[in-house]
């Protein structure tokens, strides 16, 4: 692998946002092939960060620092890529939020950070987000996935309502719907007709990658 | 000063400093309040508001500490005091609002239904270390809009003990208050002899959601005791240092106490919490972590310094099963709570990061709580002036077993645990299995459920709360409540 790509990768592993930013700027100035820089450099870095976290070698601060670093690089590289190739480096777009009546957002924000770090275009709608808002934003942003977080036994029912509302409007097939949060499970996802469930942020990245990664 | 065994986390001067810093945070950094209504209430009290943040001056904080009562007495539904929360008193009650139930004899967790809530209430009712029950489980067999009030309904029906509870939504408060008022015997009576405590949780760092701050004010106005339950998570929503988190926890508590006292000076309020030492590997909130216990213990010391009653989420575990980890964490935490002077400890029965309640664990934790209480009592100075005489008498009689002193004290000096704790000597080369204690616990649960019932709630009262509950059910689109086991 080229030395330059290796440096990009290392910047993410070190969680060095400043370095990632410098390298991204350098890549643009030197007219490097942007997609390659992303895929063979920065993305390799975040993949390694995810792996190290799963191994228990990295802790949450390192995971989030790595995510911040690649996000910084992507924020600079993506516009250039869009110009060059009329496309974003993106594995897919999604909206994410905590459902209505629920103010728990720590886990949701973590998932959201990890998703954008992994190249997804993420619209984080925050917490206490109504069913209609999820659907309106999803339609407006042209995303392929709606990801919802619920931490209460009571509010998790809103996840079901989202699936039902999509069906009622005849647009269920347009979106992958995934769920997460303490009271959720794979069985819950099946029961309400969602497309998937993930137990933590790294699993969420994998799951969403499998579901919409190619689009 | 009572002769009690205690842990001191800080010297007094350091506590004064922490409180000073917490007050500086409230006056200079301020606290975010999401509710317009509460903001205007606070503004009327002369507090400066900017961008929904209230900047609470020192004298307002000091004044609230002054007007808040030094102890909170909570009654059972027979009108007798059941908890005296304050000073060095110690009370335990089961952890609240579990998502899952581990039924006795079952190896797998499940979504709780009415029957589980009924059993849980009856079980708690029978166990004397628990001075209160809690709305321990959230039922899955009623519409979600009424789950919070329905669990209170069942608790009131099936146990006479006071209830530690809370709402899941703003509109949950009124029907819950109504039911409490019925059972408590009237509006004035409920104020004079409250039978429930509501948990109100600020969002760390230093923020109050519309729901929780609304509850805080509603409770104050109805005279229902409130437990302020901040959950700062070290390094995630509060400083990574324990002392930093203790300070933020203090500021968050004081902000709640100020709002509560502005709404109703003298309203019963408890300095509480469920902080955690955030796990940086698994992104979880371990209740059993040593540092979680230290933050909680320090909080109790600060509360006592301020002359306020205290609460903490302790005596629980993060283990997924009822196993060695569960016992270890629960026991350590219960002991630290007891020796730190936490007045009201919520947690027993709970495991898996506050998400599961186990019937067997509730029975086993009961023994932990009794033992922790025993530790707290400390070494009593019984016949302390005459050990020499007693020893000489024992030597003379060639036994201590039948001494007058022995006969007088042997049942009181030692806490004799229930038979779930095995105090019999094992035989040589015997088969041993770690599942034995679970079997004993399971047997005890079965036995209690077969034999124990609380004195039933008076007929008129139970009809009246049923009516309230049915009204709520109709609003949620059902006209029948689940069948209850008798
Ligand atoms: C911290 C906390 C709070 C904080 C939240 C602060 C915040 N900014 O989020 C505060 C104090 C505000 C709070 C308030 C309340 N809480 Co709370 N809270 C918790 C606690 C202890 C930890 C949650 C947490 O942050 N965990 C750490 C994060 C990193 O983990 P996580 O959220 O699970 O997220 C991970 C995964 O689940 C997954 N994930 C999460 N979202 C998504 C989304 C997708 C799409 C995917 C794929 C994956 C995914 O990935 C994440 C990263 O690994 C839980 C207990 C628990 N173990 O869950 C109780 C808990 C959820 N709370 C509970 C309750 C009852 C409440 C209150 C109602 C209390 C009250 N009466 O005021 C209020 C809620 C008000 C409301 N309407 O929302 C109950 C729920 C009970 C039930 N049966 O429903 C719990 C279980 C505790 C308990 N037993 O009482 N709470």
């Amino acid at each position: 692998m080229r030395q330059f790509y290796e440096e990009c990768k290392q910047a993410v592993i070190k969680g060095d946002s400043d370095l990632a930013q410098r390298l991204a700027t350098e890549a643009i100035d030197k007219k490097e092939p942007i997609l390659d820089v992303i895929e063979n450099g920065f993305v390799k870095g975040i993949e390694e960060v995810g792996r190290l976290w799963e191994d228990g070698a990295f802790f949450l601060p390192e995971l989030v620092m790595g995510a911040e670093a690649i996000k910084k690089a992507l924020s600079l590289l993506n516009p250039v890529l869009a110009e060059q190739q009329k496309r974003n480096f993106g594995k897919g777009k999604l909206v994410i939020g905590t459902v209505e009546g629920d103010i728990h957002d720590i886990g949701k924000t973590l998932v959201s950070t990890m998703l954008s770090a992994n190249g997804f275009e993420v619209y984080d709608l925050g917490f206490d987000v109504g069913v209609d808002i999820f659907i309106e934003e999803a339609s407006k942003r042209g995303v392929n996935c709606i990801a919802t977080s619920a931490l209460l036994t009571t509010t998790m029912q809103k996840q079901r309502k989202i699936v039902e509302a999509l069906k009622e409007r005849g647009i269920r097939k347009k979106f992958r719907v995934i769920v997460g949060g303490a009271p959720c499970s794979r069985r819950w996802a099946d029961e309400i007709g969602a497309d998937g469930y993930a137990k933590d942020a790294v699993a969420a990245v994998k799951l969403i990658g499998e579901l919409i990664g190619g689009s | 000063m009572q002769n009690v065994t205690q842990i001191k986390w800080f010297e007094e001067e350091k506590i004064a400093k922490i409180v000073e810093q917490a007050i500086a945070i409230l006056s200079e950094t301020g606290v975010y309040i999401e509710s317009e209504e509460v903001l205007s209430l606070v503004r009327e009290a002369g507090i400066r508001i900017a961008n929904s943040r209230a900047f609470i001056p020192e004298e307002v904080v000091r004044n609230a500490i002054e007007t808040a009562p030094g102890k909170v007495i909570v009654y059972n539904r027979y009108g007798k005091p059941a908890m005296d929360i304050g000073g060095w008193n110690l009370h335990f009650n089961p952890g609240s609002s579990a998502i899952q139930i581990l039924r006795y004899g079952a190896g797998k967790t499940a979504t709780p239904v009415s029957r589980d809530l009924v059993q849980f209430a009856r079980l708690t009712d029978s166990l004397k270390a628990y001075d209160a029950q809690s709305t321990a489980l959230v039922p899955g067999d009623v519409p979600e809009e009424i789950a919070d009030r329905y669990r209170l309904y069942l608790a009131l029906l099936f146990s006479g003990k006071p209830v530690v509870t809370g709402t899941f939504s703003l509109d949950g408060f009124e029907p819950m208050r109504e039911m409490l008022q019925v059972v408590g015997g009237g509006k004035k009576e409920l104020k004079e002899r409250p039978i429930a405590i509501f948990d109100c949780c600020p969002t760390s760092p230093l923020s109050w959601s519309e729901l929780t701050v609304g509850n805080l004010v509603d409770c104050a106005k109805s005279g229902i005791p409130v437990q302020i339950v901040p959950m700062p998570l070290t390094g995630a929503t509060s400083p990574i240092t324990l002392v930093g988190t203790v300070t933020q926890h203090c500021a968050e508590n004081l902000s709640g106490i100020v709002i509560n006292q502005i709404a109703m000076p003298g309203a019963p309020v408890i300095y509480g919490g469920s902080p955690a030492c955030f796990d940086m590997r698994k992104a979880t909130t371990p209740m059993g972590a040593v540092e979680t216990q230290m933050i909680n213990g320090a909080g109790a010391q600060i509360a006592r310094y301020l002359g306020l009653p205290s609460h903490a989420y302790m005596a629980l575990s993060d283990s997924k099963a009822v196993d060695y980890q569960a016992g270890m964490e629960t026991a350590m935490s219960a002991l630290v709570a007891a020796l730190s002077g936490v007045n009201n400890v919520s947690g027993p029965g709970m495991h898996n990061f506050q998400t599961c309640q186990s019937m067997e664990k509730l029975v086993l934790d009961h023994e932990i709580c009794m033992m922790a209480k025993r530790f707290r009592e400390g070494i009593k100075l019984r016949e302390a002036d005459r050990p020499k005489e007693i020893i000489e008498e024992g030597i003379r009689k060639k036994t201590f077993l039948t001494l007058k002193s022995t006969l007088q004290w042997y049942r009181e000096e030692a806490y004799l645990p229930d038979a779930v704790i095995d105090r019999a000597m094992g035989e040589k080369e015997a088969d041993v299995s770690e599942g034995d204690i679970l079997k004993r616990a399971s047997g005890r649960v079965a036995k209690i459920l077969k034999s124990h019932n609380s004195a039933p709630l008076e007929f008129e009262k139970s009809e009246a709360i049923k009516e309230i509950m049915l009204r709520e059910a109709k609003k949620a689109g059902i006209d029948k409540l689940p069948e209850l086991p008798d």
Side-chain angles (χ1 to χ4, degrees):
Chain A
M1 203 215 286
R2 275 188 49 191
Q3 179 57 29
F4 183 67
Y5 295 167
E6 181 61 27
E7 280 171 34
C8 296
K9 177 181 164 187
Q10 288 305 329
V12 176
I13 296 175
K14 279 191 229 125
D16 189 337
S17 288
D18 290 345
L19 181 59
Q21 181 176 3
R22 270 205 310 280
L23 290 168
T25 315
E26 192 182 325
I28 296 167
D29 291 347
K30 293 195 177 151
K31 304 222 159 20
E32 296 278 350
I34 298 298
L35 195 59
D36 277 0
V37 173
I38 297 175
E39 283 182 342
N40 298 322
F42 292 110
V43 167
K44 288 280 181 289
I46 197 69
E47 283 172 3
E48 179 65 8
V49 169
R51 206 185 55 71
L52 286 165
W53 189 68
E54 278 185 303
D55 283 356
F58 264 22
F59 286 27
L60 216 51
E62 284 110 4
L63 185 73
V64 173
M65 297 273 284
E68 295 299 335
I70 187 172
K71 270 165 71 178
K72 190 97 217 180
L74 288 179
S75 71
L76 295 169
L77 296 173
N78 255 333
V80 182
L81 186 68
E83 228 166 73
Q84 275 180 8
Q85 314 200 348
K86 299 279 165 278
R87 58 168 282 207
N88 263 347
F89 167 76
K91 296 188 189 162
K93 292 194 210 179
L94 64 129
V95 292
I96 188 169
T98 303
V99 296
E100 187 174 350
D102 202 323
I103 60 170
H104 295 89
D105 69 348
I106 299 168
K108 181 272 303 164
T109 305
L110 206 56
V111 172
S112 160
T113 303
M114 288 315 294
L115 285 168
S116 39
N118 281 275
F120 294 95
E121 208 173 312
V122 181
Y123 298 94
D124 190 334
L125 308 178
F127 56 90
D128 194 8
V129 180
V131 172
D132 291 340
I133 305 215
F134 267 113
I135 298 177
E136 274 162 32
E137 286 291 323
S139 306
K140 194 166 87 195
R141 310 276 182 191
V143 304
N144 5 48
C145 175
I146 300 176
T148 65
S149 181
L151 267 282
L152 297 170
T153 316
T154 50
T155 57
M156 70 193 285
Q157 297 297 334
K158 290 287 190 303
Q159 296 177 320
R160 186 200 296 276
K161 299 229 159 88
I162 289 174
V163 177
E164 283 168 359
L166 288 171
K167 280 189 193 148
E168 270 164 31
R169 296 177 201 191
I171 50 174
R172 173 68 186 87
K173 292 236 165 62
K174 273 179 74 177
F175 308 101
R176 299 302 189 132
V177 178
I178 68 150
V179 296
C184 305
S185 62
R186 166 150 303 147
R187 226 181 95 200
W188 171 246
D190 292 344
E191 186 187 322
I192 63 172
D195 299 296
Y197 153 83
K199 73 169 190 359
D200 60 34
V202 169
V205 169
K206 271 195 195 138
L207 170 76
I208 299 181
E210 280 159 22
L211 289 174
I212 65 167
S215 55
Chain B
M1 175 76 201
Q2 279 168 266
N3 172 39
V4 290
T5 317
Q6 53 180 286
I7 304 175
K8 211 159 112 187
W9 296 95
F10 296 112
E11 296 301 330
E12 292 251 315
E13 308 87 78
K14 181 59 201 161
I15 295 201
K17 269 262 149 52
I18 289 173
V19 172
E20 219 171 83
Q21 282 171 322
I23 292 177
I25 291 168
L26 291 180
S27 62
E28 291 160 31
T29 315
V31 54
Y32 179 84
I33 300 174
E34 199 193 18
S35 154
E36 282 306 323
E37 229 179 292
V38 177
L39 276 173
S40 50
L41 185 82
V42 169
R43 193 182 287 117
E44 276 162 33
I47 293 171
R48 184 170 68 88
I49 311 282
N51 293 325
S52 300
R53 290 192 91 81
F55 298 88
I56 311 171
E58 168 157 12
E59 65 272 18
V60 175
V61 182
R62 300 271 180 208
N63 189 44
I65 295 170
E66 214 43 55
T67 57
K71 61 179 183 170
V72 173
I73 300 179
V74 187
Y75 295 75
N76 59 25
R77 70 158 141 77
Y78 318 115
K80 299 257 159 7
M83 305 167 94
D84 180 350
I85 304 172
W88 270 98
N89 296 342
L90 171 62
H91 301 283
F92 287 101
N93 51 81
S96 185
S97 309
I99 295 170
Q100 293 270 291
I101 173 86
L102 186 53
R103 298 181 180 120
Y104 66 108
K108 210 171 165 192
T109 64
T111 299
V113 291
S114 305
R115 190 188 136 84
D116 298 310
L117 275 79
V118 170
Q119 290 192 339
F120 209 86
R122 290 176 49 219
L123 198 57
T124 309
D125 195 76
S126 80
L127 295 166
K128 77 166 187 217
Y130 304 136
D131 296 311
Q133 57 170 333
S134 72
T135 40
L137 299 159
V138 182
D141 56 349
V142 294
E144 73 277 9
E145 303 96 291
I146 59 167
D148 51 2
R149 44 221 95 157
Y150 183 64
R151 48 187 196 138
L152 178 65
Y153 168 69
L154 292 184
L156 290 170
L157 277 182
F158 289 92
S159 168
K161 292 186 177 179
V163 200
V164 178
T165 186
T167 77
F168 285 8
S169 60
L170 262 177
D171 63 357
F173 179 75
E174 192 45 31
M176 290 172 85
R177 191 197 58 75
E178 277 179 75
M179 285 193 277
L180 291 170
Q181 185 170 313
V182 168
V183 176
K187 199 172 187 159
K188 194 171 129 268
E189 286 76 4
L190 185 65
K191 251 191 185 167
E192 279 164 9
R193 289 191 302 275
I195 56 170
I197 301 173
F198 275 56
D199 283 350
C200 291
C201 312
T203 307
S204 298
L206 295 157
S207 155
W208 282 91
S209 69
E210 190 175 11
L211 159 73
T212 52
V213 81
N215 280 167
L216 181 63
V217 169
D218 286 342
C219 284
K221 289 183 176 160
S222 323
I224 295 175
V226 165
Q227 238 152 218
I228 313 283
V229 186
M231 301 186 186
L233 309 173
T234 55
T237 62
S238 67
I240 189 71
T241 60
L242 300 191
V243 67
T245 291
V246 167
T247 309
Q248 183 178 315
H249 178 257
C250 176
E252 288 169 343
N253 258 297
L254 292 177
S255 74
I257 291 166
V258 165
I259 297 167
N260 177 275
Q261 293 300 305
I262 288 175
M264 182 65 72
V269 62
I270 299 163
Y271 186 112
S274 178
C277 171
F278 194 66
D279 187 283
M280 292 294 188
R281 281 171 308 178
K282 299 290 181 193
T284 50
T285 55
M287 296 289 118
V290 171
E291 298 77 9
T292 298
Q293 301 168 26
M294 297 204 264
I295 299 165
N296 277 318
Q301 200 192 338
I302 294 174
R304 207 169 36 258
Y305 169 86
L306 296 172
L308 297 167
S310 65
H311 156 272
Y313 247 88
M314 297 179 84
L316 70 174
S317 165
D318 304 314
S319 183
K320 293 177 193 63
V322 182
D323 58 4
Y324 187 97
Q325 182 185 342
M328 176 185 91
E329 291 176 344
T330 305
M332 267 198 220
S333 175
L335 190 58
V336 170
L339 303 190
S340 301
V342 179
N343 301 132
N344 187 25
V345 181
S346 298
M350 254 191 169
H351 58 116
N352 198 10
F353 306 89
Q354 296 184 338
T355 65
C356 195
Q357 261 294 359
S358 150
M359 297 190 183
E360 281 126 345
K361 187 170 185 292
L362 191 72
V363 155
L364 293 169
D365 290 356
H366 178 265
E367 298 312 304
I368 292 178
C369 296
M370 291 302 284
M371 291 178 195
K373 284 188 173 186
R374 179 66 190 89
F375 266 114
R376 242 300 312 290
E377 280 173 13
I379 298 178
K380 294 254 163 79
L381 300 179
R382 285 174 172 146
E383 299 186 77
D385 50 346
R386 52 183 294 262
K388 183 161 100 25
E389 275 168 54
I390 300 171
I391 292 164
E392 284 170 5
E393 198 186 337
I395 294 172
R396 215 163 42 239
K397 275 191 136 183
K398 297 201 168 56
T399 181
F400 284 74
L401 275 174
T402 54
L403 296 193
K404 204 166 147 246
S405 168
T406 304
L407 298 176
Q408 184 177 355
W409 298 117
Y410 81 95
R411 281 173 189 271
E412 283 168 62
E413 279 290 88
Y415 168 63
L416 298 177
D418 179 85
V420 291
I421 301 300
D422 188 357
R423 285 268 172 94
M425 178 83 172
E427 284 170 33
K428 275 168 83 182
E429 288 147 31
D431 286 334
V432 286
S433 148
E434 61 164 359
D436 286 353
I437 186 157
L438 255 189
K439 276 192 214 125
R440 293 196 296 273
S442 179
R444 183 159 191 223
V445 173
K447 201 166 137 199
I448 293 172
L449 290 180
K450 216 182 240 163
S451 59
H452 180 89
N453 270 313
S454 71
L457 181 61
E458 294 99 298
F459 181 74
E460 308 81 66
K461 288 183 177 176
S462 76
E463 286 300 297
I465 61 173
K466 188 169 178 188
E467 208 167 287
I468 296 170
M469 209 48 240
L470 274 170
R471 184 194 71 206
E472 293 299 305
K474 288 213 179 87
K475 280 194 235 158
I478 55 167
D479 46 27
K480 248 178 59 199
L481 297 169
E483 287 290 324
L484 296 180
D486 10 71

